[in-house]
Amino acid sequence: MTTAKRWTSQLLAFALPALLIAAPAQAIVTTGTPTALHSDTDGDAEADRQAVSREIERFRSSSITISQAMAIAEARHAGARTADVSFDGGSGVPVYRVKTLHNDRIWRHTINAATGELVGGEAALPLTELDHEDRSNLAALGAIRHRLADAVRVAERAASGKAISGGLVRERGRLNFAIVVISGDDLKEVILEPPGARTK
């Protein structure tokens, strides 16, 4: 079976009762090419598939994991929490792009995926400059006890693979963690709802 045929939109749901105390309550795993990893090639399916394959190969050859990249970024500011992380192998040196929340600011970090070093300093954006929905999501992130790192661990177990990106999404008033995991030749998107995250 070809990789393209394996990237179907089959939906699987996993209840993770053993992990309820330390991690989000439920994982919904979707197999396919998550939107975040589609290339900008105007719908050329073969070009998209090749771009995703190149990104996956660069990710697999990186020595720093997504969890390590989040820890490196969070260590820059005591008490920081990761709101979004993604692998970028598109040009030059592969990096992780990590956004952390600390003291009413979003900090943007670029972490070298081979060495773990910070690339090009860091930038901060006050939360007041974000739109209402983003501020609301980040306020909810600060109010829940679960962290993106917890969601990454659960997603990697549920999808039997390694996370390549993760962040917050809100659908129908529910704040969820969305994690993209590479499992074999498949990309799987895992959606986790942290307990207590239902708002608005």
Side-chain angles (χ1 to χ4, degrees):
M1 177 182 281
T2 68
T3 300
K5 288 182 181 175
R6 275 185 248 144
W7 290 349
T8 61
S9 295
Q10 182 179 17
L11 184 66
L12 303 169
F14 290 92
L16 303 171
L19 300 172
L20 286 178
I21 294 172
Q26 182 179 20
I28 298 174
V29 182
T30 307
T31 304
T33 305
T35 306
L37 290 182
H38 281 291
S39 68
D40 300 327
T41 55
D42 296 332
D44 183 344
E46 181 60 21
D48 283 349
R49 187 189 63 74
Q50 289 176 1
V52 169
S53 293
R54 281 191 303 274
E55 190 84 354
I56 290 171
E57 278 309 308
R58 294 198 84 184
F59 173 76
R60 286 185 172 147
S61 66
S62 298
S63 54
I64 301 297
T65 67
I66 201 168
S67 295
Q68 290 170 321
M70 287 188 292
I72 290 165
E74 288 176 357
R76 303 284 301 168
H77 304 279
R81 296 183 77 163
T82 301
D84 186 78
V85 60
S86 61
F87 177 81
D88 181 357
S91 61
V93 175
V95 296
Y96 288 98
R97 302 204 184 277
V98 186
K99 294 179 185 172
T100 60
L101 175 63
H102 183 258
N103 286 345
D104 294 328
R105 293 184 181 276
I106 285 290
W107 293 85
R108 296 177 187 193
H109 313 276
T110 303
I111 309 293
N112 184 308
T115 66
E117 295 174 347
L118 187 67
V119 177
E122 58 188 2
L125 180 67
L127 292 182
T128 56
E129 294 186 23
L130 301 176
D131 66 29
H132 175 72
E133 183 177 344
D134 287 340
R135 283 194 314 268
S136 175
N137 289 350
L138 292 169
L141 175 66
I144 59 176
R145 73 171 193 246
H146 299 296
R147 300 172 73 90
L148 186 57
D150 299 324
V152 164
R153 282 191 295 277
V154 172
E156 287 179 337
R157 285 187 203 152
S160 302
K162 292 291 182 185
I164 190 169
S165 70
L168 296 169
V169 295
R170 186 179 295 272
E171 293 179 8
R172 294 183 293 263
R174 295 180 178 179
L175 184 68
N176 297 313
F177 291 117
I179 314 295
V180 177
V181 176
I182 296 173
S183 177
D185 290 333
D186 293 331
L187 291 174
K188 297 180 179 180
E189 186 170 43
V190 182
I191 304 298
L192 298 132
E193 180 182 330
R198 292 180 191 211
T199 58
K200 299 180 185 173

